[in-house]
């Protein structure tokens, strides 16, 4: 059965508990300077089409997300990563791009000539040239593979959106944990920390399992906090909450409860596997293990950082809202996230 949107029974709010994510985030100390420099870079390179688009971009606070993802790199690297994050969120709207847009990115990564069709292709080329200098052959190959995987899943997601299809929960997660970008941005973690974990990625299956758990966590967090925005933009058919409401006949609150419960389980699995890997490969055993520890802790920073940003970003919550304080009731309003804080017991 195909439908445009699931039907919600005139429900205007839902409750969010306070135990969604327990991992503490860390912000890069160079955040404010990198934020100013990134905004100026985009403006100078005509990345904003107009003042409205500039205001919207600033409301998203993407440099803040970048600074939470990569809290331990220097200012220069953070600026490059802020720029690549800005590019990433433009890449995240592929329905507005032609096929040549995607092919040009692959040409850029493969160091082949391309005919520009969008300013963000050129901005990607600039940032990629900065990043690839320190990348090994294996890292470049892995990055290309991640780009191809992202493109393939973007196409699947967009085909379903265009048809108005709501995939079942498991299918949605399989696609969405790729398109959410966590796995893709893991590679930039290596750039930020000046490490190369290619050998570990290929030799330790549990490391890939940890990355997948992080991607699932980020996907579920995204779907909870982006739901209000997607609901009023009538673009919520590709959301875990919608999948549960449509296929499992959950009420909105029941769907929220299920997603929060699964999120807590994913976080517990992530922490247990992270701790096991850190113990299994002690730094004292081999100096290479230091890079592995940095990478694993970096994956943790990305999980926690995405959650912190999701509480505070205008991308999900509109303009002139107050950052969320959990537990609270989320009131569905078209202009901004409205919430009523609840006192903890």
């Amino acid at each position: 059965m195909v439908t445009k949107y699931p039907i919600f029974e005139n429900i205007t709010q839902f409750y969010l508990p306070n135990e969604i994510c327990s991992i503490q985030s860390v912000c890069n100390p160079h955040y404010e300077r990198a934020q100013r420099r990134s905004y100026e870079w985009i403006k100078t390179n005509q990345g904003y089409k107009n003042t409205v688009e500039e205001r919207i971009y600033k409301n998203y606070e993407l440099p803040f997300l970048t600074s939470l993802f990569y809290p331990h790199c220097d200012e220069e690297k953070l600026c490059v990563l802020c720029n690549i994050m800005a590019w990433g969120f433009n890449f995240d709207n592929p329905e507005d791009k032609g096929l040549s847009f995607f092919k040009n990115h692959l040409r850029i990564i493969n160091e082949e000539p391309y005919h520009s069709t969008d300013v963000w292709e050129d901005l990607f080329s600039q940032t990629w040239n900065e990043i690839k200098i320190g990348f090994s052959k294996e890292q470049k190959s892995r990055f290309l593979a991640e780009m191809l995987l992202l493109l393939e899943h973007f196409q699947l997601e967009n085909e379903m959106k265009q048809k108005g299809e709501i995939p079942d929960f498991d299918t949605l997660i399989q696609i969405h944990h790729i398109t959410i970008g966590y796995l893709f941005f893991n590679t930039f973690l290596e750039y930020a920390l000046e490490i190369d974990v290619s050998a570990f990625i290929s030799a330790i299956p549990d490391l890939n399992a940890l990355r997948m758990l992080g991607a699932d966590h980020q996907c579920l967090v995204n779907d909870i906090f982006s739901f209000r925005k997607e609901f009023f933009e009538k673009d919520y058919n590709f959301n875990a909450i919608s999948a549960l409401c449509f296929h499992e006949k959950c009420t909105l609150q029941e769907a929220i409860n299920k997603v929060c419960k699964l999120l807590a389980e994913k976080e517990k699995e992530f922490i247990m596997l992270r701790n096991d890997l850190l113990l299994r490969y002690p730094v004292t055993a081999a100096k290479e293990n230091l890079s592995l520890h940095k990478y694993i802790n970096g994956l943790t920073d990305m999980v926690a950082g995405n959650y912190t940003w999701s509480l505070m970003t205008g991308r999900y919550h509109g303009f002139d809202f107050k950052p969320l304080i959990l537990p609270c009731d989320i009131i569905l309003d078209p202009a901004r996230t409205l919430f009523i804080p609840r006192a903890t017991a």
Side-chain angles (χ1 to χ4, degrees):
M1 181 177 181
V2 176
T3 184
K4 187 65 177 172
Y5 310 108
I7 304 299
F8 295 100
E9 300 174 356
N10 298 317
I11 301 298
T12 59
Q13 69 182 57
F14 56 83
Y15 171 69
L16 274 181
N18 62 340
E19 297 180 353
I20 294 179
C21 182
S22 64
I23 307 172
Q24 296 298 307
S25 60
V26 180
C27 186
N28 193 299
H30 305 295
Y31 158 59
E32 291 184 355
R33 280 181 55 82
Q35 178 190 52
R36 290 194 296 270
R37 289 176 61 182
S38 182
Y39 287 160
E40 185 60 33
W41 178 79
I42 296 170
K43 192 169 186 176
T44 300
N45 286 280
Q46 301 180 325
Y48 308 123
K49 294 184 177 67
N50 49 54
T51 56
V52 173
E53 191 169 281
E54 180 178 352
R55 180 171 180 251
I56 291 172
Y57 172 76
K58 289 184 176 180
N59 189 46
Y60 284 6
E61 278 279 14
L62 298 181
F64 180 54
L65 175 61
T66 311
S67 298
L68 294 168
F69 267 16
Y70 312 108
H72 303 298
C73 65
D74 61 32
E75 182 181 324
E76 293 305 315
K77 279 189 167 55
L78 184 61
C79 285
V80 173
L81 291 164
C82 284
N83 297 341
I84 205 73
M85 185 68 76
W87 160 84
F89 272 75
N90 276 272
F91 194 87
D92 192 34
N93 298 310
E95 63 275 7
D96 300 328
K97 314 294 185 185
L99 184 59
S100 58
F101 179 78
F102 297 111
K103 289 183 176 179
N104 276 344
H105 280 82
L106 300 180
R107 292 188 183 105
I108 291 167
I109 294 171
N110 284 317
E111 301 181 10
E112 299 171 355
Y114 72 99
H115 298 290
S116 179
T117 64
D118 187 287
V119 65
W120 284 99
E121 295 166 358
D122 301 323
L123 298 187
F124 173 74
S125 181
Q126 286 186 41
T127 52
W128 174 242
N129 284 335
E130 292 281 344
I131 290 169
K132 72 180 184 182
I133 293 171
F135 268 11
S136 66
K137 181 179 178 181
E138 290 77 10
Q139 285 173 304
K140 291 178 182 177
S141 176
R142 285 171 42 225
F143 184 84
L144 178 59
E146 293 288 358
M147 176 71 88
L148 289 169
L149 188 66
L150 190 68
L151 172 56
E152 175 188 339
H153 284 74
F154 264 140
Q155 290 174 328
L156 286 173
E157 182 174 322
N158 283 324
E159 286 171 5
M160 289 184 173
K161 284 183 176 181
Q162 289 166 10
K163 293 176 183 177
E165 293 180 352
I166 301 173
D168 65 76
F169 185 83
D170 290 340
T171 300
L172 184 142
I173 295 299
Q174 288 171 8
I175 298 172
H176 205 23
H177 79 183
I178 302 296
T179 58
I180 201 68
Y182 177 84
L183 299 173
F184 180 78
F185 277 91
N186 286 172
T187 309
F188 298 118
L189 184 62
E190 296 174 66
Y191 165 77
L193 299 173
E194 299 182 348
I195 59 175
D196 184 350
V197 295
S198 298
F200 292 113
I201 292 288
S202 60
I204 306 175
D206 278 349
L207 188 56
N208 277 307
L210 186 69
R211 296 174 68 237
M212 290 299 178
L213 284 169
D216 287 344
H217 190 284
Q218 188 174 41
C219 173
L220 295 170
V221 166
N222 170 85
D223 284 7
I224 290 172
F225 291 104
S226 68
F227 180 77
R228 183 211 63 87
K229 168 182 177 289
E230 294 169 2
F231 182 80
F232 286 105
E233 290 179 353
K234 297 190 183 301
D235 184 31
Y236 59 97
N237 59 324
F238 210 89
N239 185 296
I241 294 165
S242 299
L244 290 171
C245 289
F246 183 70
H247 289 284
E248 300 185 24
K249 309 306 178 186
C250 295
T251 64
L252 180 57
Q253 187 61 60
E254 287 171 345
I256 291 290
N257 292 345
K258 283 193 174 188
V259 172
C260 288
K261 183 174 184 283
L262 181 59
L263 190 52
E265 292 170 358
K266 293 291 183 181
E267 181 183 289
K268 184 177 180 181
E269 291 179 50
F270 181 92
I271 292 172
M272 290 178 63
L273 185 54
R274 177 199 65 183
N275 293 345
D276 176 65
L277 283 166
L278 292 174
L279 287 172
R280 204 187 313 168
Y281 299 93
V283 174
T284 53
K287 65 178 183 179
E288 292 83 3
N289 287 358
L290 177 59
S291 293
L292 178 61
H293 277 234
K294 287 182 177 179
Y295 183 72
I296 291 171
N297 288 325
L299 296 178
T300 307
D301 288 330
M302 292 180 70
V303 166
N306 175 66
Y307 171 72
T308 298
W309 174 78
S310 296
L311 292 172
M312 303 175 67
T313 176
R315 175 174 172 84
Y316 299 155
H317 306 306
F319 289 94
D320 304 321
F321 70 97
K322 297 178 181 178
L324 300 187
I325 300 172
L326 303 182
C328 70
D329 288 300
I330 299 291
I331 300 173
L332 297 178
D333 182 90
R336 65 185 62 84
T337 299
L338 301 176
F339 67 99
I340 303 173
R342 288 192 184 184
T344 56

